[in-house]
């Protein structure tokens, strides 16, 4: 009977926890179990022979029953807990609060909940373009790509040619996000992302040039917050390229901690256009400002002070934004920076005691002090479009050129792509191309639905650009010496050199991963934590306790369900987890559901135990961010497979990606447990998440080898993986040479096999002083027609493997050369 009661108790606890039952149901269950326990020990007699035993048996039911009454619960539990939390909780600063309030939560909240609602994922609109957007992508976007010579841009000019600048301005590339009512293109986020992607696949410098005005720039700020007069004055000119904008946020002493900027503005009266005018006297020192050297319109962020209370009752008004013409008196645009030798314009700007009227403040007086919120809201959408687009297309471009090169280039008598050592990195490129295109498209679609995914855009930025770095390294490894010799025919080096820029801008990856993604996500996307913190900081104690009681009781039931759910899913291998589909991908949805449940448990306990120390325990926070991002990437991959119509040819790559991500999550969980500072919680989490141990394995060598082989020839699969990259079919173009050679090589594959076989048998010999193809004809190995086909393939191969060379004094820009110091100067 004892075992029966124990099993009954465990089942009841599991059911109640999974159902997130209210307290009165827990009280009723405790009453039944307590009564049964006494009846069984009293031999089934309903006699109160042991009053103390009955009291002890029913005490849990009584306590739970009393706690189910709100007044009593507030008095003995949530009220005291409210006081404790209020006393130990650090105050959230204004800038932190504005960052938390910026953006929206969506699928990230579902992952934090542990019970993802699949309709919210599969219901996100498929990546689609309007007829006008597709025509722009196929027309002006293709044309400007064909106009760009990346080597000339970055080596000879260190800038785009005037014709390219003119075309970008005239065709509206710099005003894609500006509404049509203001003369802009009014494109969707999906279209902006794809336009930036295609241009960046030709030249990352050109991609960044187009990206910036359509990301965190004055255009978006004016559209959302500008006054009617500001919109009328500037939006049309920005849309037509008559104004080139930049936005100055980062300074020498404020990088990732942009809220710590030292730039200030003081409200005062001064003369403007001959009249005494209310305005702001500004001083700033900014650097790393993209487009600053060519900008005509300068956006500025600064701390606004009002010591004389000319516009309100507050001395320190807060971060405020202004829009200042670049040629305005006192504005200084400095010399340009040269980030990673990339040709996009970037430079510093300064100003000292520059007086501007109040009309220059974006949004006017109504939005003074709200600049940080404005920036964070714009960044949450801009960051979801910009760097993920460049990172993703860089991965796809690397795959496109490397898959061709790996088939064309032969060593030891076979294409290098058939070697297992080469196939391994090539397969990684295949998996990354599918994964990050899926996440790029999904996130852009979320923005088009009105979401502002601040957490998802942050994690996507750091994961995409890190993958960009890794895949460029893979591509360079496969190309070997061909990749490191820079010149007009090198199609990899420019992207490779620009990787640090993508890693650094819009939030350095190290801090985005370790400080922002999980910590901000836990507060914003957790179903109860933010509500508890807000309640604890409520100045009205009565309403604060009421809100805290509601959130706290919900949080307790959330914890219990996470414990039960994680353990049950773990011992069942996720077989009973939810899935929205009934086909072969159902198992991955179940695994995604299982690990989302585990993430909810571990994330909740990590935040609860570490509290304010979460910012200090950055390695733990970073690993939790990795788990969250793996969950999102797997969600994106499964969504893409559905949206694409479950293409059978794509199934192996989806399976391989899923295996890798599940394995990665298990490794991250294990690292969290191994380093968690509390030994009791560490072991309890390990038991709840991995009671039977860790069993996930990454994609096998056989799977990955097949994926690598599948892209070594032209076809729909290769085209689908690299869709959105600029592909030239001109055999004189730097990438057209590759495409032309790949077609000729694969077309001559059978002829080449006979030719190579004859070489191995010693029938013919490859030597510089002989024409081996003519020898093959003479020996009857090839026909004249076959020899002609093979010769064309051979000539195409020679063009591909050729590298550039220069005269000793041919390289270098005279503008960037520095005279060697004289002996006297050197001595000084």
């Amino acid at each position: 009977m004892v075992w029966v009661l124990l099993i009954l108790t465990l089942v009841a606890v599991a059911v109640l926890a999974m159902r997130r039952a209210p307290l009165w149901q827990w009280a009723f269950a405790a009453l039944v179990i307590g009564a049964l326990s006494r009846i069984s020990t009293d031999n089934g007699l309903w006699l109160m022979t042991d009053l103390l035993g009955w009291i002890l048996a029913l005490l849990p039911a009584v306590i739970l029953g009393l706690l189910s009454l709100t007044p009593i619960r507030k008095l003995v539990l949530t009220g005291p807990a409210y006081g404790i939390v209020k006393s130990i909780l650090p105050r959230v600063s204004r800038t932190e609060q504005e960052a938390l309030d910026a953006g929206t939560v969506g699928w990230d909240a579902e992952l934090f909940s542990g019970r993802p609602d699949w309709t919210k994922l599969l219901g996100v609109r498929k990546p689609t373009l309007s007829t006008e957007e597709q025509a722009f992508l196929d027309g002006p976007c293709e044309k400007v790509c064909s106009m760009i010579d990346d080597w000339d841009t970055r080596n000879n000019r260190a800038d785009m040619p005037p014709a390219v600048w003119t075309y970008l301005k005239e065709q509206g590339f710099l005003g894609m996000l500006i509404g049509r009512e203001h003369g802009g293109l009014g494109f969707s986020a999906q279209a902006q992302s794809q336009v930036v992607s295609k241009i960046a696949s030709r030249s990352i410098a050109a991609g960044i040039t187009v990206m910036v005005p359509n990301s965190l720039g004055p255009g978006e700020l004016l559209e959302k917050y500008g006054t009617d007069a500001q919109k009328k004055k500037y939006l049309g000119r920005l849309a037509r390229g008559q104004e080139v904008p930049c936005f100055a946020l980062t300074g020498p002493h404020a990088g990732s901690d942009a809220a710590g900027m030292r730039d200030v503005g003081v409200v005062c009266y001064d003369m403007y256009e001959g009249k005494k005018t209310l305005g702001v006297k500004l001083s700033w020192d900014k650097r790393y400002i993209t487009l600053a050297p060519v900008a005509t319109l300068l956006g500025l962020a600064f701390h606004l002070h009002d010591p004389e209370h000319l516009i309100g009752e507050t001395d320190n008004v807060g971060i405020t934004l202004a829009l200042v013409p670049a040629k305005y008196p006192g504005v200084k645009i400095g010399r340009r920076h040269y980030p990673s030798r990339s040709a996009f314009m970037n430079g510093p700007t300064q100003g000292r005691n520059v007086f501007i009227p109040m009309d220059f403040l974006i949004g006017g007086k109504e939005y003074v002090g709200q600049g940080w919120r404005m920036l964070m809201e714009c960044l949450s959408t801009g960051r979801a479009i910009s760097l993920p687009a460049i990172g993703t297309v860089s991965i796809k471009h690397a795959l496109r050129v490397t898959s061709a090169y790996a088939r064309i280039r032969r060593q030891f008598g076979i294409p290098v792509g058939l070697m297992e050592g080469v196939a391994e990195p090539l397969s990684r490129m295949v998996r990354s191309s599918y994964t990050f295109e899926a996440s790029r498209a999904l996130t852009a679609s979320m923005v088009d639905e009105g979401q502002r995914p601040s957490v998802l855009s942050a994690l996507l930025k750091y994961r995409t650009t890190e993958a960009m770095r890794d895949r460029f390294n893979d591509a360079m490894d496969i190309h070997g010496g061909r990749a490191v010799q820079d010149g007009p025919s090198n199609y990899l080096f420019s992207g490779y050199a620009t990787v640090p820029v993508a890693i650094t801008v819009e939030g350095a990856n190290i801090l985005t991963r370790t400080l922002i993604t999980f910590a901000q996500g836990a507060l914003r996307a957790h179903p109860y934590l933010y509500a508890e913190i807000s309640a604890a900081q409520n100045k009205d104690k009565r309403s604060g306790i009421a809100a805290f009681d509601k959130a706290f009781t919900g949080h307790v039931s959330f914890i219990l369900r996470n414990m039960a759910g994680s353990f049950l899913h773990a011992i069942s291998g996720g077989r009973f987890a939810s899935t929205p589909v009934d086909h072969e991908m159902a198992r991955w949805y179940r695994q995604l559901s299982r690990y989302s449940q585990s993430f909810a448990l571990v994330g909740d306990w990590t935040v609860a135990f570490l509290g304010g120390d979460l910012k200090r325990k950055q390695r733990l926070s970073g690993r939790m961010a990795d788990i969250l991002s793996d969950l999102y990437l797997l969600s994106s991959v499964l969504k893409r497979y559905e949206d694409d119509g479950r293409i059978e040819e794509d199934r192996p790559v989806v399976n391989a990606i899923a295996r890798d991500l599940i394995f990665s999550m298990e490794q991250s969980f294990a690292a969290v447990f191994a380093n968690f500072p509390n030994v009791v919680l560490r072991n309890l989490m390990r038991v709840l998440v991995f009671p039977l141990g860790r069993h996930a394995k990454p994609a096998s060598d056989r799977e990955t080898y097949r994926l690598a082989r599948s892209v070594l020839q032209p076809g729909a699969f290769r085209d689908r993986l690299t869709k959105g990259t600029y592909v030239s079919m001109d055999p004189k173009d730097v990438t057209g040479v590759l495409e032309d050679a790949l077609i000729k090589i694969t077309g001559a594959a059978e002829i080449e096999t006979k030719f190579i076989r004859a070489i191995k048998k010693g029938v013919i010999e490859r030597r510089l002083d002989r024409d081996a193809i003519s020898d093959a004809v003479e020996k009857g190995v090839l026909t004249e027609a076959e020899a002609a086909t093979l010769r064309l393939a051979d000539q195409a191969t020679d063009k591909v493997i050729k590298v550039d060379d220069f005269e000793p004094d041919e390289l270098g820009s005279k503008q960037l050369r520095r005279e060697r110091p004289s002996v006297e100067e050197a001595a000084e």
Side-chain angles (χ1 to χ4, degrees):
M1 189 61 183
V2 173
W3 283 104
V4 171
L5 281 172
L6 180 60
I7 293 172
L8 178 63
T9 301
L10 291 175
V11 171
V13 169
V15 171
L16 291 170
M18 291 297 290
R19 290 174 56 85
R20 301 189 64 183
L23 274 172
W24 69 265
Q25 292 184 12
W26 284 88
F28 180 76
L31 178 66
V32 171
I33 293 171
L36 288 175
S37 70
R38 291 308 299 151
I39 292 171
S40 65
T41 57
D42 287 341
N43 298 318
L45 299 176
W46 286 85
L47 298 174
M48 299 184 65
T49 56
D50 185 356
L51 181 60
L52 180 60
W54 276 94
I55 291 174
L56 292 175
L58 300 181
L59 185 60
V62 173
I63 294 174
L64 290 171
L66 290 173
L67 290 177
S68 68
L69 302 175
T70 302
I72 295 176
R73 184 175 63 250
K74 287 182 179 179
L75 180 65
V76 302
L77 180 62
T78 53
Y82 171 83
I84 294 172
V85 171
K86 190 175 182 68
S87 65
I88 64 174
L89 191 69
R91 291 291 300 177
V92 177
S93 69
R94 178 176 175 179
T95 53
E96 289 176 323
Q97 187 67 51
E98 289 175 343
L100 288 172
D101 292 340
T104 59
V105 294
W107 186 244
D108 46 340
E110 295 300 314
L111 296 174
F112 268 95
S113 76
R115 297 184 69 182
D117 182 351
W118 300 116
T119 61
K120 293 184 179 180
L121 174 67
L122 299 182
V124 176
R125 63 197 288 183
K126 294 181 181 180
T128 54
L129 299 179
S130 69
T131 302
E132 182 181 355
E133 291 169 341
Q134 187 62 57
F136 187 87
L137 201 64
D138 296 337
C141 197
E142 281 279 323
K143 180 174 176 57
V144 79
C145 285
S146 70
M147 296 169 64
I148 296 170
D149 181 335
D150 190 57
W151 168 258
D152 178 64
T153 296
R154 63 189 173 89
N155 189 73
N156 298 332
R157 301 174 182 272
D159 188 13
M160 292 185 299
V164 173
W165 269 111
T166 300
Y167 192 80
L168 290 175
K169 293 175 181 179
E170 291 178 348
Q171 296 298 318
F173 282 89
L174 307 186
M176 290 189 291
L177 63 76
I178 297 175
R180 296 178 185 177
E181 66 275 18
H182 299 296
L185 297 179
F187 278 0
S188 65
Q190 194 70 245
Q192 293 176 51
S193 178
Q194 292 191 35
V195 169
V196 170
S197 292
K198 178 164 281 191
I199 295 174
S201 70
R202 188 61 163 175
S203 165
I204 291 184
I208 291 174
T209 300
V210 172
M211 174 194 83
V212 168
N214 293 288
S215 182
L216 184 58
E220 185 176 11
L221 289 165
L222 285 173
E223 280 248 297
K224 291 184 176 180
Y225 310 109
T227 64
D228 290 340
Q230 289 170 341
K231 292 177 181 179
K232 184 177 180 180
K233 181 176 181 179
Y234 287 119
L235 285 178
R237 294 181 60 79
L238 287 167
R240 295 187 294 272
Q242 294 170 314
E243 300 278 6
V244 176
C246 70
F247 193 87
L249 176 61
T250 304
H253 301 282
S256 295
D257 179 22
M261 70 181 83
R262 302 181 183 182
D263 314 287
V264 296
V266 179
V267 180
C268 61
Y269 280 98
D270 208 327
M271 300 302 293
Y272 176 70
E273 294 183 346
K275 298 179 182 178
K276 185 178 180 181
T277 305
L278 180 65
V280 177
K281 189 162 287 187
L282 278 174
S283 293
W284 71 90
D285 184 8
K286 306 285 191 179
R287 66 179 181 184
Y288 308 153
I289 311 306
T290 300
L291 296 187
V294 294
T296 62
L297 202 56
L298 176 66
L300 283 172
F302 57 91
H303 287 286
L304 181 64
H305 298 273
D306 185 16
E308 298 181 32
H309 296 177
L310 298 175
I311 60 172
E313 300 301 318
T314 305
D315 289 351
N316 185 3
V317 179
I319 295 176
T320 301
L321 311 181
L323 203 57
V324 185
K327 293 186 177 180
Y328 190 79
V331 175
K332 179 182 178 183
I333 302 295
R335 290 149 57 95
R336 68 178 289 185
H337 300 311
Y338 203 14
S340 292
R341 291 187 60 85
S342 187
F344 69 91
M345 286 294 174
N346 186 275
T349 174
Q350 297 90 26
R352 290 291 181 271
N353 296 320
V354 178
F355 180 77
I356 62 170
M358 296 297 291
D359 290 346
F360 282 25
L361 303 184
I362 297 178
K365 291 182 183 180
E366 183 181 350
Y367 284 97
V368 295
Q370 299 186 49
W372 193 243
R373 177 182 64 82
M374 295 157 67
L375 288 172
M376 290 300 99
E377 288 189 350
C378 289
L379 185 61
S380 66
T381 54
R383 189 164 53 189
I385 300 169
S386 55
L387 268 300
I390 287 180
T392 296
V393 83
S394 296
I395 294 168
K396 293 191 293 184
H397 168 74
L399 173 63
R400 184 85 189 185
V401 296
T402 306
S403 58
Y405 185 82
R407 175 60 184 88
I408 296 164
R409 179 65 163 160
R410 301 182 71 94
Q411 293 285 276
F412 308 106
I414 61 172
V416 297
L418 295 179
M419 299 177 182
E420 280 198 357
V422 174
E424 182 181 2
L426 186 58
S427 173
R428 288 196 294 262
M429 298 170 76
V430 170
R431 285 170 280 168
S432 290
S433 293
Y434 191 97
T435 300
F436 289 101
E437 172 58 22
S439 57
R440 179 210 64 78
L442 174 62
T443 311
S445 290
M446 290 176 176
V447 173
D448 283 331
E449 289 187 339
Q451 297 186 44
R452 302 189 304 277
S454 56
V455 175
L456 294 180
S457 64
L459 72 83
L460 185 59
K461 184 269 174 182
Y462 94 77
R463 285 299 295 266
T464 306
T465 52
E466 287 294 336
M468 172 187 178
R469 168 159 52 190
D470 293 339
R471 300 298 79 85
F472 261 122
N473 282 337
D474 287 337
M476 296 289 285
D477 286 348
I478 293 172
H479 279 76
R482 173 69 177 82
V484 299
Q485 300 297 335
D486 199 11
S489 64
N490 192 319
Y491 40 76
L492 277 177
F493 197 82
S494 176
Y496 174 79
T498 314
V499 164
V501 177
I503 295 290
T504 303
V505 300
E506 289 192 8
N509 281 3
I510 290 178
L511 297 185
T512 300
R513 172 180 175 265
T514 59
L515 278 178
I516 298 175
T517 301
F518 177 68
Q520 182 178 336
L523 288 175
R524 287 291 284 122
H526 191 286
Y528 299 104
L529 188 60
Y530 190 47
E532 289 170 323
I533 293 174
S534 298
Q537 294 188 344
N538 194 328
K539 294 180 180 179
D540 185 341
K541 183 176 180 181
R542 185 173 181 178
S543 61
I545 291 177
F548 185 83
D549 175 76
K550 181 179 180 181
F552 185 80
T553 53
H555 197 162
V556 171
S557 68
F558 178 68
I559 291 173
L560 293 172
R561 192 204 71 199
N562 288 338
M563 293 174 66
S566 293
F567 185 77
L568 293 174
H569 285 325
I571 61 175
S572 66
R575 290 179 179 83
F576 304 106
S578 66
T579 174
V581 300
D582 57 3
H583 52 75
E584 71 277 7
M585 292 301 158
R587 59 174 170 160
W588 300 126
Y589 282 99
R590 291 191 178 98
Q591 291 302 309
L592 178 56
S593 183
R594 171 194 170 180
Y595 285 101
S596 171
Q597 181 73 86
S598 298
F599 173 76
L601 169 75
V602 177
D604 193 32
W605 288 13
T606 299
V607 174
F609 180 77
L610 294 179
D613 282 345
L614 189 61
K615 289 184 178 181
R616 187 172 58 85
K617 292 290 186 181
Q618 294 173 16
R619 298 185 74 176
L620 282 179
S621 179
R623 291 173 184 126
M624 293 303 297
D626 290 341
I627 297 170
L628 176 61
S629 58
D630 281 339
L631 289 167
Y632 184 62
L633 294 178
L634 182 53
S635 303
S636 303
V637 167
L638 295 175
K639 174 71 162 62
R640 176 181 178 179
Y641 186 69
E642 289 294 317
D643 287 348
D644 288 351
R646 305 175 194 169
I647 300 171
E648 178 62 24
E649 195 177 17
D650 292 351
R651 186 166 57 85
V653 71
V654 174
N655 285 329
I657 292 167
R659 292 186 200 282
D660 288 344
L661 291 174
I662 297 297
F663 178 76
S664 174
M665 281 186 263
E666 286 202 357
Q667 297 297 105
S668 295
F669 273 123
V672 170
F673 301 156
N675 295 279
F676 202 80
N678 184 286
V679 65
V680 175
L681 288 180
R682 173 198 310 168
N683 290 317
L684 183 55
M685 287 190 295
R686 185 182 285 119
V687 169
L688 292 173
V689 176
F690 298 127
L692 305 178
R694 292 180 283 117
H695 302 288
K697 296 180 180 179
S700 68
D701 291 348
R702 179 179 296 180
E703 286 179 284
T704 56
Y705 186 74
R706 287 174 177 171
L707 291 178
R709 290 199 63 164
S710 65
V711 293
L712 292 178
Q713 56 187 354
F717 182 64
R718 178 171 177 264
D719 289 342
R720 198 158 53 248
L721 286 173
T722 58
K723 182 181 179 181
T725 59
Y726 176 73
V727 179
S728 173
M729 302 308 294
D730 181 356
K732 295 181 180 179
D733 183 84
V734 59
T735 55
V737 168
L738 275 170
E739 297 297 323
D740 177 65
L742 181 62
I743 293 171
K744 289 176 178 175
I745 287 291
T746 53
E750 293 184 6
I751 302 171
E752 186 184 45
T753 299
K754 290 196 298 182
F755 183 70
I756 296 296
R757 190 182 299 124
I759 291 174
K760 289 182 177 180
K761 289 181 178 180
V763 177
I764 54 177
E765 186 178 3
R766 278 272 195 183
R767 291 168 36 175
L768 284 177
D769 60 346
R770 296 191 62 84
D771 183 353
I773 296 178
S774 296
D775 289 348
V777 174
E778 290 180 10
K779 298 290 180 67
V781 176
L782 301 178
T783 65
E784 288 287 355
E786 289 174 331
T789 300
L790 186 59
R791 199 179 297 280
L792 288 174
D794 243 22
Q795 292 168 355
T797 299
D798 287 341
K799 290 181 181 179
V800 167
I801 65 174
K802 178 181 178 294
V803 297
D804 299 293
D805 50 44
F806 306 90
E807 292 293 336
D809 61 349
E810 187 177 349
L811 295 175
S813 170
K814 292 180 181 179
Q815 292 90 339
L816 295 178
R817 288 176 184 164
R818 221 176 245 186
E819 295 294 333
R820 298 183 65 179
S822 64
V823 175
E824 293 79 8
E825 290 173 329
E828 291 178 3

